[in-house]
Amino acid sequence: MEARGQRRRRERWWIFLCFSLPVCFGQRVSAQIRYSVPEEVKVGSVVGNCAKDLGLDATTLVDRLFRIVSGSNDALFQVNQNNGILYVDKHIDREEVCDGNSACLINLKIVVEKPLEVHYVEVEITDVNDHSPSFQDKDFGIEVAENTVTGTRFELQTARDLDVGANSVRHYHLSKNAHFDLEIKDSVYGDKTPFLILQKPLDREITEKHRLRLTAVDGGNPPKSGMLNITVFVLDVNDNRPICSSDTLTITLRENAIIDTVVTIINASDADSGLNSEVEYTYGRNTKPKIREIFRLDRATGEIRVKGLIDFEENDIYSLMIRASDKGLPPLNSDCQLIIKVEDVNDNHPVIQITSLSNVVSEDANIGTVISLISVNDKDSGINGKVVCRLSDNVPFELKPSVQDNMYSLVTKERLDRELVSEYDIKITATDLGNPSLSAYKTIFFRVSDVNDNIPEFSSNPLELYLTENNSPGASIFSVSALDKDINENAVITYHIIRGGGLQNDMASAMNINSETGVIHALKSFDFETVKTFQFHVLATDSGSPSLSSNVTVNVFILDQNDNVPVILYPVSANGSAEGVEEIPRNVNAGHLVTKVRAYDADIGYNGWLLFSLQEVSDHSLFGLDRYTGQIRTLRSFTETDEAQHKLIILVKDNGNVSLSATATVIVKVVEPKEAFAASDVKNTVKDEEENNMTFYLIITLGSVSVLFVISIIVLIVMQCSKSTDCSSKYLQDTNYDGTLCHSIQYRSGDKRYMLVGPRMSIGSTIVPGSNGNTLVIPDRRRRDSGEVRIAD
């Protein structure tokens, strides 16, 4: 090793000695010498004899304090004070010390005193071939379309060798194959980049994969090598690859460019159509990681922006290989080379001045309305003093440049809507055109004033009101409310009831509304038996100019109360009182039908369901009254001791919560039997049977209707309670509801049979013109000649 070091010293490039002039009290001599030593030499190896080369007396070195005082990585070397020999003091790895630079120089400063002398020693660390070429990956895949033209180049991974000079990668070898050849291209960094050249057209149907081996060989002695396994996948069809607007694009970029500065836009076009012509951009496979940290490439647009710090002193040139690929199947690509030269800087920020015409803008302002005037100044000159302004995103404003440089007008570009956005904080960004560019920011606050552009809105339409009859006139029965999205006077709402014209509007005249609160009052008391439902309309008008309005329909449903007393239909005397006389033979048996009390109630449901009871009778053992039908029958046969005349007072009572009642008086006279009475008795027996049958069916029908009515009421109460706490709405099911027939009274006049019903009529019945609205004509299957009145409940 020592012989090798001596040989190296004999081959050192140059020795230069320089002596300085005397200074101060002694003589200061300066000289510079240079040595060369290979890396990886043993510790203690001699680099050179500094004392001899500097012409110093070796015997005086100790006394003159011959030593190394400073230098880069001075710990690698030490000097022997006894003989002046410079030797290696630590293991030297050139790649670690010099980070791969082509020239690796270590500067040392040697000082001797008495007199003081300063000498400079430069030691060059020469490279030895201690590293083999290597690829980033062991296996590398390439997709090549089968219609790729011959001569097409495909960039391969570049082999990296930490050694430099002749010991770095010198050449590549490609395994023997029938389709591909190899081409080597020197990069700006001095690397040799291999490209695969297609020499013969591919046919995927014959061979889908081609397996190649790329060998990188350095120039050492002996040489070292590294291998890369290449698999070429043959794909189908897309026959036009993107074409870069320039194979090599060179631009300049100033150092310290701000983050997100647009560097350039790589533009490549593809003659195909559809997905085959849509181009996306990626970095080349051999792009260094450092470049990816500094620049960001937009995959879709090819826009390159600054991502990291641009430092001219660190690197004054960047070479980027951009791969432009289409979206065909398979995709085709081409490589665009971008060389960025860094230059030196812009140091003044723009200054923004805002002249606001008003901080309030009307929401009905026309597009193009000027809101503010903006001026921008930059103390820099030339391109560094030119400023570009922009607004924050998603605002309905834009900047219009003036004829004067750096003057802008802030104008509306869209219609405003205060109900969506009532105020804006607009951020204005001013950026000069220096490189790197500097920016200034300012915020303008605007409030959008309201115009009357929204009508009052009701929560639903129509509204439903359930009102119990016999309400107190003037009392509050309902309240309506509308909302207006505007503000201030534009949202102040007044309410009016629309009146005039038609029956429904006549009913509306019985309503009054508080114009400010929307509270509705009934001016009269309603009668269910007269009106069961009606509607009116409420108009809501705001106070804007011009005012806007909307209306809502209120459907009113009158609920029944037990406010009608039962009316006695039979017996009725000539003077109109409820009193009648019945004559029966003394020889009638028990169960004989004396007569039947007939009555009806104008109310509906339970309020109209009548019950009969004997309030007063002369002999309780003689007569009995059916509770539901009103039939009076004998309980036993008459005896000789029974009175010839009996007075019965019948109480007729409805089933309302507070029941109402009426009374009827029946005078029963007991007469001696005659043949006429016997014939009449036979006839009455037939009649009784018929009436009993009809009564039985009516009782079943009324019972079923009553059960259904109760079930309906319960269901309605549950449904209404789940919707609202308004108990007055629990008894009606739909807008056409007008009560349930809970009773019926049949009677005959002449040759027609009638039924008295509640407000709801039976299906198939007809109203007799001129008769009571609750009276129905019932088809009679058997014509009766007598004028007898028959009543069934």
Side-chain angles (χ1 to χ4, degrees):
M1 178 62 69
E2 185 175 354
R4 183 180 177 184
Q6 291 175 355
R7 184 172 66 252
R8 292 260 182 190
R9 286 196 297 274
R10 287 195 301 269
E11 295 174 353
R12 63 183 179 270
W13 295 345
W14 52 272
I15 298 176
F16 177 75
L17 299 177
C18 181
F19 298 94
S20 61
L21 296 174
V23 180
C24 298
F25 301 101
Q27 186 178 38
R28 182 175 180 179
V29 179
S30 298
Q32 182 169 330
I33 59 177
R34 181 170 179 173
Y35 297 106
S36 178
V37 63
E39 64 173 330
E40 305 295 341
V41 296
K42 292 182 179 180
V43 176
S45 298
V46 176
V47 178
N49 193 322
C50 297
K52 180 179 178 181
D53 293 336
L54 293 174
L56 300 176
D57 186 357
T59 60
T60 64
L61 295 180
V62 176
D63 295 334
R64 296 187 65 184
L65 300 178
F66 181 77
R67 67 192 182 279
I68 298 175
V69 295
S70 66
S72 175
N73 297 326
D74 57 319
L76 296 176
F77 304 97
Q78 289 295 338
V79 67
N80 191 323
Q81 289 185 339
N82 295 319
N83 53 23
I85 292 176
L86 182 67
Y87 61 93
V88 177
D89 191 49
K90 185 185 289 185
H91 173 263
I92 299 176
D93 186 344
R94 182 186 182 281
E95 287 72 33
E96 180 180 347
V97 173
C98 295
D99 195 21
N101 292 335
S102 57
C104 183
L105 301 177
I106 306 298
N107 294 312
L108 305 175
K109 184 188 290 184
I110 297 178
V111 174
V112 292
E113 298 182 2
K114 301 176 184 178
L116 177 64
E117 296 180 10
V118 180
H119 304 281
Y120 296 94
V121 177
E122 188 176 69
V123 181
E124 178 186 11
I125 308 299
T126 60
D127 185 52
V128 297
N129 192 24
D130 56 347
H131 293 89
S132 298
S134 63
F135 293 92
Q136 182 178 350
D137 301 307
K138 292 182 179 180
D139 297 301
F140 181 73
I142 300 177
E143 294 180 345
V144 181
E146 64 176 336
N147 59 348
T148 303
V149 297
T150 58
T152 302
R153 297 187 306 167
F154 301 94
E155 183 183 6
L156 303 177
Q157 285 189 3
T158 301
R160 303 296 181 188
D161 195 323
L162 298 179
D163 298 321
V164 297
N167 295 327
S168 63
V169 177
R170 297 287 89 190
H171 54 272
Y172 294 87
H173 296 297
L174 184 66
S175 59
K176 187 176 181 181
N177 66 94
H179 292 274
F180 296 95
D181 200 357
L182 190 65
E183 180 182 295
I184 308 302
K185 186 176 180 181
D186 293 331
S187 69
V188 295
Y189 300 106
D191 297 332
K192 294 183 181 296
T193 302
F195 289 85
L196 205 60
I197 309 298
L198 181 62
Q199 297 292 340
K200 181 181 178 181
L202 302 174
D203 189 342
R204 189 190 62 83
E205 286 69 30
I206 297 176
T207 306
E208 290 188 0
K209 296 180 182 179
H210 296 268
R211 301 188 185 277
L212 309 174
R213 177 172 293 177
L214 179 65
T215 302
V217 183
D218 63 21
N221 186 14
K224 295 183 177 182
S225 62
M227 288 184 297
L228 175 67
N229 295 319
I230 302 173
T231 302
V232 179
F233 299 92
V234 182
L235 304 178
D236 270 336
V237 190
N238 187 19
D239 59 349
N240 282 288
R241 66 181 58 256
I243 300 175
C244 299
S245 58
S246 176
D247 288 339
T248 302
L249 177 63
T250 302
I251 64 170
T252 58
L253 179 67
R254 292 192 177 185
E255 69 173 332
N256 300 325
I258 60 173
I259 302 300
D260 213 36
T261 297
V262 176
V263 178
T264 188
I265 297 177
I266 302 299
N267 186 20
S269 59
D270 194 316
D272 294 321
S273 61
L275 289 176
N276 292 334
S277 66
E278 294 183 15
V279 180
E280 57 184 9
Y281 305 86
T282 57
Y283 284 116
R285 292 189 177 92
N286 294 311
T287 302
K288 293 185 176 181
K290 186 67 175 177
I291 290 179
R292 297 177 186 268
E293 296 174 2
I294 296 177
F295 300 100
R296 180 174 67 248
L297 173 63
D298 191 301
R299 186 181 185 90
T301 64
E303 184 181 77
I304 299 176
R305 291 178 178 265
V306 174
K307 180 180 178 183
L309 178 64
I310 305 297
D311 190 350
F312 175 83
E313 287 72 25
E314 181 179 338
N315 203 335
D316 61 349
I317 189 170
Y318 296 94
S319 177
L320 287 73
M321 190 65 71
I322 308 300
R323 171 155 292 182
S325 303
D326 61 29
K327 295 182 180 180
L329 292 174
L332 297 179
N333 55 68
S334 60
D335 297 319
C336 312
Q337 187 176 24
L338 173 64
I339 297 177
I340 302 174
K341 295 182 178 179
V342 182
E343 63 180 30
D344 286 311
V345 195
N346 177 28
D347 57 354
N348 283 291
H349 290 265
V351 177
I352 302 174
Q353 294 180 340
I354 299 176
T355 303
S356 294
L357 303 181
S358 174
N359 64 346
V360 178
V361 56
S362 176
E363 68 174 322
D364 63 348
N366 294 327
I367 295 176
T369 300
V370 178
I371 307 302
S372 292
L373 300 177
I374 299 169
S375 63
V376 183
N377 296 316
D378 195 313
K379 293 181 180 180
D380 296 320
S381 59
I383 194 69
N384 294 331
K386 296 208 177 278
V387 180
V388 175
C389 289
R390 67 179 185 274
L391 299 179
S392 52
D393 296 334
N394 302 322
V395 293
F397 304 95
E398 63 179 347
L399 290 174
K400 291 286 188 181
S402 174
V403 293
Q404 184 178 352
D405 289 343
N406 297 335
M407 289 291 295
Y408 300 89
S409 298
L410 179 64
V411 300
T412 57
K413 70 174 182 179
E414 299 175 7
R415 289 287 184 180
L416 304 179
D417 190 344
R418 187 206 62 81
E419 286 70 37
L420 294 178
V421 182
S422 60
E423 56 187 33
Y424 290 91
D425 280 315
I426 304 174
K427 182 180 180 181
I428 300 176
T429 302
T431 305
D432 62 28
L433 301 180
N435 191 2
S437 59
L438 301 177
S439 299
Y441 309 93
K442 212 153 195 179
T443 300
I444 305 177
F445 174 78
F446 286 106
R447 183 171 54 85
V448 181
S449 63
D450 185 52
V451 297
N452 192 27
D453 57 349
N454 290 278
I455 64 173
E457 295 180 355
F458 291 92
S459 59
S460 62
N461 193 358
L463 300 175
E464 294 183 350
L465 167 61
Y466 296 90
L467 178 63
T468 304
E469 66 173 333
N470 303 320
N471 56 291
S472 300
S476 171
I477 61 171
F478 197 52
S479 177
V480 296
S481 179
L483 296 178
D484 195 312
K485 294 180 181 179
D486 298 317
I487 59 173
N488 301 329
E489 68 277 0
N490 294 331
V492 177
I493 299 175
T494 56
Y495 303 91
H496 303 279
I497 294 178
I498 301 175
R499 308 179 191 276
L503 178 62
Q504 294 294 336
N505 287 317
D506 290 343
M507 296 301 298
S509 63
M511 298 291 178
N512 191 24
I513 190 171
N514 188 309
S515 61
E516 295 181 356
T517 64
V519 176
I520 298 174
H521 302 267
L523 300 180
K524 72 173 187 178
S525 179
F526 293 98
D527 184 5
F528 174 83
E529 288 70 35
T530 303
V531 177
K532 296 176 177 57
T533 180
F534 65 91
Q535 66 177 206
F536 62 93
H537 304 282
V538 177
L539 180 69
T541 306
D542 62 28
S543 301
S545 181
S547 62
L548 301 176
S549 62
S550 64
N551 60 63
V552 65
T553 300
V554 181
N555 292 320
V556 182
F557 300 93
I558 307 300
L559 304 179
D560 185 45
Q561 275 190 333
N562 190 27
D563 59 345
N564 289 281
V565 298
V567 176
I568 306 297
L569 296 177
Y570 183 86
V572 177
S573 65
N575 60 6
S577 63
E579 183 175 347
V581 177
E582 294 289 339
E583 292 182 352
I584 61 172
R586 182 176 289 275
N587 61 349
V588 296
N589 297 322
H592 175 75
L593 177 65
V594 178
T595 189
K596 181 176 182 178
V597 178
R598 300 172 177 86
Y600 86 98
D601 194 314
D603 295 318
I604 65 169
Y606 283 100
N607 296 331
W609 192 351
L610 301 181
L611 296 176
F612 301 84
S613 61
L614 282 172
Q615 187 177 24
E616 182 179 334
V617 61
S618 57
D619 190 344
H620 288 281
S621 66
L622 189 56
F623 300 99
L625 175 66
D626 190 288
R627 177 178 178 84
Y628 300 103
T629 66
Q631 292 179 348
I632 301 175
R633 294 182 181 271
T634 58
L635 298 176
R636 60 179 175 80
S637 299
F638 287 94
T639 63
E640 295 295 332
T641 60
D642 289 329
E643 297 289 338
Q645 181 172 315
H646 300 270
K647 182 179 181 181
L648 285 73
I649 298 178
I650 292 88
L651 177 68
V652 182
K653 182 172 64 174
D654 61 27
N655 277 274
N657 288 333
V658 178
S659 63
L660 302 177
S661 61
T663 60
T665 302
V666 177
I667 304 297
V668 180
K669 293 182 177 181
V670 181
V671 298
E672 295 301 325
K674 298 178 181 179
E675 292 183 1
F677 287 139
S680 175
D681 190 41
V682 173
K683 188 175 181 179
N684 287 336
T685 301
V686 175
K687 181 181 70 173
D688 290 344
E689 292 178 356
E690 292 177 353
E691 289 187 352
N692 287 338
N693 291 336
M694 182 175 292
T695 300
F696 176 74
Y697 294 135
L698 283 175
I699 288 175
I700 292 176
T701 302
L702 288 174
S704 301
V705 171
S706 300
V707 171
L708 291 175
F709 177 76
V710 171
I711 294 174
S712 301
I713 290 297
I714 294 173
V715 172
L716 278 172
I717 290 174
V718 173
M719 293 175 64
Q720 292 298 328
C721 287
S722 65
K723 295 180 179 178
S724 171
T725 57
D726 186 2
C727 296
S728 66
S729 65
K730 296 180 181 179
Y731 299 97
L732 292 181
Q733 197 166 11
D734 55 69
T735 57
N736 295 322
Y737 178 79
D738 57 2
T740 303
L741 177 62
C742 291
H743 72 281
S744 65
I745 302 174
Q746 299 183 30
Y747 67 94
R748 178 175 296 280
S749 176
D751 60 348
K752 292 185 179 180
R753 190 154 57 103
Y754 299 89
M755 177 181 287
L756 294 178
V757 298
R760 193 180 185 96
M761 296 186 298
S762 301
I763 298 174
S765 303
T766 58
I767 298 178
V768 179
S771 66
N772 188 290
N774 291 341
T775 305
L776 307 180
V777 177
I778 300 178
D780 194 356
R781 285 181 286 177
R782 182 183 301 175
R783 182 178 180 84
R784 302 179 186 271
D785 295 331
S786 70
E788 176 183 85
V789 177
R790 305 191 65 194
I791 301 177
D793 190 48

